[in-house]
Amino acid sequence: MRHAGKTLTIIVVISLTMASSTLPAKPQLNYLVGLNMEVVFMDNGVARVTLKQHPFDAAGRSLISNTEVVERVIGEEDSIISLVLLFFTTDPSKASYVVHAHSKLDPEEQVLCNTGTPGVMERFDGAVTLTLDILLNTTSSLIPLGGDVYQIVVTDYFTLTDPRSWLDVMDFRFMGSVRLLNFSLDPSWAKPPSVATPARLQWLNMNEADAPDNYVLTLQIPGVILSTTPLRLRAEVSGARFSNATSSLQVGVRNTGGDEGVFTVVLLEEGFEQARKISLKPGAEAWVRFPVHAPDGGELVVKVFGGGEQLDEQRLTVNVEKSTETRLPLLSAIGLILMVIGGFTILLYLDERLKRLQSP
Amino acid sequence: MQHAKLIVGLVLTLIGVSLVFGFLPGEAQYSQAGQGTASREARVEYVEKRNYTYFLSQSFLLRNPSNSTVVDLVYMWLPVNASSQFVSLLETSIEPLYRKKGEEGALILVYNVSLPRGETMWLNATLQVTVEKYRLLMENIPWLNYSQVEKNTGGKRYWAVENQTYVSIAQSIGLNARDPVEACSSIGKWILARLDYQPTWRKGAEHALITRGGRLIVSGDCEEVADVFVTLARILGIRSRVVHGLYLLEDKDVVTMWIRRTETGYDTSDNWGGHAWPQIYVPKAGWVDVELLEGGTVKIGDFSQYHVKYGFEEKSFLGSTMLYCQAMFLETDSFYFTFRRVKS
């Protein structure tokens, strides 16, 4: 399938393998999809995103009456949601959203789209629509600037990642108490908006070159609660062992909390900061190793982080272990015997000499 | 004769003292199993470094499948200028409209092409590509710092760093590793010991690991090998990414490889070398190539002249979209790559 659009294109993978000679192609439904996105910024930091899709063929003919194609578009809701979230966050798994209206065919909607004729935006009747409410405070797009002013970076994920794809229409609206204070584009030479009013910004992108990669908005949004991750993870440094044979430090970490989590063990020494990730179940302990670069007697600091917070800190000194397993080699034993015999011989000599001096 | 005992006694004592203090372990030798004290200096050195230059001609056959003239933007990916690779564009069959940098540094020429219905045209570019063959010596390499680990070792679509099977595998392989290079070597050996090489469409690390006969198997081709490697490395806090490019399977002065679209899919030349391999970021060294499919051993910082890099995949959540040459409306029916080795 080539599900593209003046928009997204599912990659036709050209065998990236080393040895294959012939690879079967997946059955393809060749169609492109016109994409229009409307983003309504609402009080409390909610962005209501409506995506309107209209499939068409390479000749620019609408496929909205092709049931198979439309069902295919509707059936891709999960992946489309991920794509929409990627407009607002670098990690969709951490974004909170609610599907306000699932994908459905709406014959009343319209989609604007360039189908290959330069400079012409065609209007298609009918669209597959999907509406999400995204909590911006759970995304990476929301950057607090102070007070209730925020910078919001909306990334056209299509044009950023696939140079052939872009959004045909991006339509920002500002509702309730939300105020547009400023906006800019990245790259700066991207086409300016077709509509720019205090309540609305709209871009009509004829091609990928016109379409901005990033829409940067400065908004006043009252009522946003910046949630912080509750500190639930607990861990401690449970031990440390320095091995001079390998110049390495083993650090033990124990999860002392009730939640499984990923912890980061940090070793600080002069000139180096090293960190290791470790996943621990509640009560579990594990050891990690670091190469030590500090000289003997050098100061080391070990810290444990979890959930973005420092959980423990220990200070250590590089102490050289003296081997407890040193065995007296054979030659050393012989040396000792020779020392005893030599000493005894000297004592004999001294004894004889003393007797000789005392004798009349 | 009377002093003979004194002389003998002194000689024996001296020999004894030298034997005892000469062979007992001294303060400087904290030996364990005779290893001596390990060096503590972080060290990165080129053991070998040699440039190989090719003239690369890449040609793509475009076709207009529609019933009307199509004016389209055509995107042609070029090999990237990157560590151990230097690229210059010598000529192109038509003047590009502009050059575009992809998200992860890929270099793309964008052409404005008009084709009447049913017609075809070749789009060509000639480049000079210098590949640096190298072998690195890496000792006492520190792990990444905290902010780099937090920022650069997360999961992506193809890298299932939160999958518990992968987490437990990574920790059993790598927690005891002294440094990141040792950990990556262990990861590579683990993969090679379980690899069932099968050409496939990219399925990502999540689906590359299967159980067969009660044993874990890494099933797939170079992309799955790279994805599994990157996943395991990232779980251990090692910054890692995938390189997409071409591999010269033949060591000849002129190598041509191709792909052609057919009615059922794609045919490729027997020497087709589309390839993907991992890289790791090594403090003091930068990005270091890792190759697990060349010679059956784990090669870290042991990079051959047969690799040509077209793009990287590190930050993009959905992965690389590198396609060599693609348009929106026009079809690309053939992809030809000819490498001519320049004698040095």
Side-chain angles (χ1 to χ4, degrees), chain A residues 43-65:
Chain A
D43 292 344
N44 305 322
V46 175
R48 175 161 294 173
V49 182
T50 300
L51 189 68
K52 295 188 283 188
Q53 304 179 74
H54 190 104
F56 59 95
D57 65 15
R61 291 177 298 238
S62 170
L63 295 174
I64 202 73
S65 56

Side-chain angles (χ1 to χ4, degrees), chain A residues 134-251:
Chain A
I134 300 173
L135 305 181
L136 293 175
N137 61 352
T138 64
T139 69
S140 55
S141 68
L142 191 78
I143 303 164
L145 297 180
D148 53 5
V149 177
Y150 301 89
Q151 186 180 75
I152 294 170
V153 181
V154 182
T155 301
D156 182 341
Y157 196 78
F158 304 142
T159 193
L160 186 69
T161 56
D162 185 342
R164 297 170 301 154
S165 301
W166 69 95
L167 267 183
D168 298 282
V169 177
M170 173 60 98
D171 200 348
F172 294 117
R173 293 168 189 259
F174 312 101
M175 307 291 283
S177 308
V178 177
R179 298 280 173 270
L180 171 66
L181 303 179
N182 200 356
F183 72 91
S184 60
L185 302 174
D186 173 34
S188 56
W189 62 82
K191 194 180 162 190
S194 311
V195 177
T197 69
R200 186 180 185 195
L201 290 173
Q202 185 193 57
W203 275 263
L204 301 178
N205 301 317
M206 294 287 183
N207 53 49
E208 188 274 331
D210 281 355
D213 291 348
N214 294 294
Y215 303 87
V216 184
L217 311 175
T218 305
L219 302 182
Q220 187 175 40
I221 313 176
V224 176
I225 297 170
L226 288 171
S227 60
T228 53
T229 308
L231 183 60
R232 292 177 302 175
L233 295 178
R234 295 271 186 276
E236 64 180 18
V237 177
S238 57
R241 294 194 290 253
F242 177 72
S243 163
N244 38 286
T246 57
S247 286
S248 65
L249 181 75
Q250 278 189 295
V251 178

Side-chain angles (χ1 to χ4, degrees), chain B residues 71-186:
Chain B
V71 180
D72 202 356
L73 294 178
V74 180
Y75 299 83
M76 183 199 286
W77 277 256
L78 303 182
V80 289
N81 269 304
S83 58
S84 71
Q85 182 168 290
F86 316 98
V87 179
S88 58
L89 177 66
L90 301 178
E91 64 177 9
T92 174
S93 56
I94 57 175
E95 191 64 25
L97 195 61
Y98 60 94
R99 294 176 184 219
K100 183 181 173 72
K101 274 265 183 187
E103 184 188 19
E104 308 228 26
L107 183 55
I108 302 163
L109 297 181
V110 184
Y111 297 92
N112 192 20
V113 172
S114 175
L115 263 187
R117 66 176 184 175
E119 297 237 334
T120 60
M121 71 168 280
W122 283 96
L123 189 57
N124 310 307
T126 306
L127 305 108
Q128 181 172 309
V129 181
T130 299
V131 177
E132 187 180 80
K133 175 187 179 182
Y134 68 87
R135 197 149 52 86
L136 279 173
L137 173 72
M138 294 177 282
E139 289 180 349
N140 301 314
I141 299 301
W143 297 83
L144 292 181
N145 65 33
Y146 177 56
S147 67
Q148 286 178 317
V149 168
E150 290 289 298
K151 192 175 167 190
N152 297 312
T153 63
K156 303 287 179 193
R157 179 189 191 186
Y158 295 114
W159 306 329
V161 301
E162 291 176 3
N163 179 304
Q164 283 306 305
T165 304
Y166 273 112
V167 169
S168 70
I169 291 167
Q171 298 202 158
S172 68
I173 295 172
L175 279 192
N176 196 41
R178 180 174 177 271
D179 65 44
V181 176
E182 183 184 324
C184 288
S185 177
S186 300

Side-chain angles (χ1 to χ4, degrees), chain A residues 350-360, chain B residues 2:
Chain A
L350 290 174
D351 185 54
E352 284 178 6
R353 188 167 175 81
L354 193 63
K355 283 178 182 169
R356 195 168 298 130
L357 286 173
Q358 288 173 346
S359 61
Chain B
Q2 285 179 357

Side-chain angles (χ1 to χ4, degrees), chain A residues 2 14 17 21 161 164 352, chain B residues 5 221 259 268 321 328:
Chain A
R2 194 161 88 172
I14 299 162
T17 61
S21 56
T161 56
R164 297 170 301 154
E352 284 178 6
Chain B
K5 279 183 183 168
D221 55 33
I259 304 176
T268 62
T321 51
M328 181 57 73

